[in-house]
């Protein structure tokens, strides 16, 4: 599974797997697209200090930027239908235009371009995920690679943003990102012309189920509320950490490199965790979830207690390491109860609300440190939900 909407695809029909015609080498641009997508998702948080200063926004405004970005991402995922290659091309062009717009636009247009960026990323990541699943016939090894590629891009993003932070010029990274997605769009359009079979594939099953009358009611009847809340909190805490850590490090007086190191540690921890769990021995799923949530809770408390220096960076690393397996496992659990796209939409809602709530609390308390109590409380709440109200039928499942 991958970050957001990665396993929400359909089963390829016999004889309709495009990979048979296009070959495994056609996956390389898709893996590159996931690296770029990881950079794109992590980018607003990595350069948030520059964006707040440039557009003269308070933390509540920064939270609204994240709210719109993740709301756009959820909508983009829901809009994917028909030709997946053309969906990749369209989403990539939207990301490129939004990236250029964010680098030159005044404050009044910033929110619109942030929404467009999320819209493009959500659609592109979903379409690429479905393509990988289709071309590999759902091979788990390919999905692990996609997962790692996204995390690799996210972990590289703060380092790549170094020049942007030094010069307070967002275009230093936004323009190259736009160029990367233009190349991805050109590749997708070229592939679309060559692959008639893939162009004629049906819409993703989860979208059809999502649009079916009464699917919302059946979803909430089938999926335990605890699982739904865990998914929303997991994605929200991850988004809040990635979005606000660089700004938090700056406010707490860390040196310039601390602004880069803090989010880098978070995403590197997530990358390391997903690699470790992809090769780890078989472990009971419930133990993996509860152990990871406990790690996240301790790390979140550490971020509040140790506000700068190596202890702070280690806490960020542990937060990412704990978050690594949580979303994929909870996503799989929810889909076992009810195979529909509703869980992906709710995951996006969590990603939008928690970072926004952090900014709201920070502005009204005049302290970003106080704002960080929001994800910390979320981590503790997730641990309590998992321990006190586990889904009984999943207790014996094995993680791998």
């Amino acid at each position: 599974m991958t970050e957001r909407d990665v396993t929400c695809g359909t089963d390829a029909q016999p004889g309709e797997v495009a990979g048979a015609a296009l070959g495994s080498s056609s996956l390389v641009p898709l893996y590159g697209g996931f690296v770029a997508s990881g950079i794109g998702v992590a980018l607003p948080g990595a350069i948030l200090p520059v964006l707040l200063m440039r557009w003269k926004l308070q933390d509540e405004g920064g939270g609204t930027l994240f709210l719109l970005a993740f709301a756009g991402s959820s909508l983009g995922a829901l809009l994917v239908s028909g030709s997946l290659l053309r969906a990749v091309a369209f989403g990539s062009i939207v990301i490129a235009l939004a990236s250029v717009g964010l680098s030159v636009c005044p404050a009044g247009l910033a929110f619109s371009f942030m929404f467009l960026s999320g819209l493009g990323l959500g659609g592109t990541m979903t379409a690429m995920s479905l393509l990988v699943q289709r071309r590999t016939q759902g091979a788990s090894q390919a999905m692990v690679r996609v997962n790692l590629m996204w995390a690799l891009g996210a972990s590289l993003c703060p380092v790549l943003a170094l020049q942007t932070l030094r010069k307070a010029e967002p275009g230093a990274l936004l323009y190259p990102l736009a160029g990367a997605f233009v190349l991805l769009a050109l590749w997708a359009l070229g592939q679309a012309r060559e692959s008639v079979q893939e162009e004629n594939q049906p819409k993703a099953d989860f979208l059809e189920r999502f649009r079916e009358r009464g699917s919302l009611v059946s979803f909430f009847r089938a999926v335990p509320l605890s699982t739904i809340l865990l998914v929303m909190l997991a994605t929200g805490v991850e988004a809040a950490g990635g979005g606000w850590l660089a700004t938090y490090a700056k406010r707490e007086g860390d040196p310039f490199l601390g602004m880069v190191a803090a989010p880098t540690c978070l995403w590197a921890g997530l990358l390391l965790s997903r690699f470790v769990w992809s090769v780890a021995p078989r472990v009971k799923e419930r133990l993996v979830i509860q152990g990871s949530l406990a790690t996240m809770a301790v790390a979140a408390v550490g971020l509040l207690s140790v506000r700068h220096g190596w202890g702070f960076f280690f806490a960020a690393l542990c937060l990412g390491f704990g978050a690594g397996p949580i979303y994929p496992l909870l996503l799989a659990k929810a889909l076992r109860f009810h195979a529909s796209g509703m869980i992906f939409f709710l995951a996006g809602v969590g990603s939008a609300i928690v970072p926004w709530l952090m900014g709201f609390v920070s502005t009204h308390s005049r302290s970003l440190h106080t704002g960080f109590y929001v994800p910390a409380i979320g981590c503790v709440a997730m641990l309590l939900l998992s321990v006190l109200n586990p889904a009984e039928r999943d207790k014996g499942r094995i993680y791998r």
Side-chain angles (χ1 to χ4, degrees), residues 363-376:
T363 294
H364 290 273
S365 66
R366 298 183 180 181
S367 168
L368 186 53
H369 178 259
T370 302
F372 256 88
Y373 276 92
V374 173

Side-chain angles (χ1 to χ4, degrees), residues 295-307:
T295 302
M296 290 180 69
V298 172
V301 173
L303 288 173
L304 291 170
S305 305
V306 185
R307 295 159 66 168

Side-chain angles (χ1 to χ4, degrees), residues 55-289:
W55 294 324
K56 298 179 174 60
L57 296 175
Q58 293 183 320
D59 288 349
E60 186 174 358
T64 303
L65 290 175
F66 291 125
L67 175 68
L68 291 171
F70 286 107
S73 181
S74 295
L75 179 60
L78 292 177
L79 292 178
V80 172
S81 62
S83 166
L84 296 179
L85 284 165
R86 293 189 184 280
V88 171
F90 178 77
S92 297
I93 293 300
V94 171
I95 298 168
L97 292 174
S99 298
V100 173
L102 285 170
S103 65
V104 299
C105 74
L109 294 177
F111 298 100
S112 298
F113 279 115
M114 190 65 76
F115 176 81
L116 283 176
S117 178
L119 185 74
L121 283 165
T124 300
M125 287 190 293
T126 300
M128 289 193 301
S129 300
L130 295 171
L131 279 170
V132 171
Q133 186 186 50
R134 182 173 293 163
R135 293 182 175 192
T136 62
Q137 302 184 61
S140 59
Q141 187 179 25
M143 304 316 290
V144 169
R145 289 197 193 105
V146 165
N147 185 21
L148 293 177
M149 289 300 101
W150 189 97
L152 176 63
S155 63
L156 287 175
C157 180
V159 177
L160 296 175
L162 195 61
Q163 196 71 2
T164 295
L165 293 171
R166 279 179 174 156
K167 295 186 175 181
E169 178 48 60
L173 185 52
L174 285 167
Y175 288 139
L177 184 67
F181 277 104
V182 167
L183 292 177
L184 181 63
L186 293 175
W187 170 83
L189 289 173
Q191 290 284 296
R193 285 193 294 268
E194 296 174 10
S195 178
V196 177
Q197 280 186 320
E198 200 154 48
E199 288 300 283
N200 294 328
Q201 291 288 335
K203 296 179 181 179
D205 284 350
F206 88 87
L207 288 170
E208 293 174 353
R209 293 192 188 104
F210 182 85
R211 290 164 180 161
E212 284 178 0
R213 188 174 183 180
S215 72
L216 181 63
V217 175
S218 63
F219 173 84
F220 281 101
R221 284 179 176 173
V223 183
L225 180 60
S226 61
T227 300
I228 295 172
L229 292 175
L230 282 169
V231 169
M232 295 178 69
L233 287 170
T235 56
V237 169
E238 182 183 316
W244 286 104
L245 269 174
T247 306
Y248 187 49
K250 179 183 179 182
R251 301 273 177 87
E252 295 300 324
D254 263 314
F256 176 76
L257 289 177
M259 296 166 58
V260 176
T264 298
C265 287
L266 174 77
W267 297 120
L270 187 133
L271 173 65
L272 176 63
S273 175
R274 290 182 174 174
F275 174 77
V276 167
W277 286 114
S278 70
V279 299
R282 295 164 65 86
V283 183
K284 282 189 176 181
E285 184 178 286
R286 179 169 57 91
L287 296 179
V288 176
I289 291 176

Side-chain angles (χ1 to χ4, degrees), residues 277 282-295 325-326 329 333 383 386 390 394-399:
W277 286 114
R282 295 164 65 86
V283 183
K284 282 189 176 181
E285 184 178 286
R286 179 169 57 91
L287 296 179
V288 176
I289 291 176
Q290 293 181 359
S292 297
L293 289 175
T295 302
I326 293 298
L329 282 175
K333 179 181 289 190
L383 180 59
S386 177
D394 287 324
K395 278 188 173 181
R397 285 190 176 272
I398 301 298
Y399 174 65

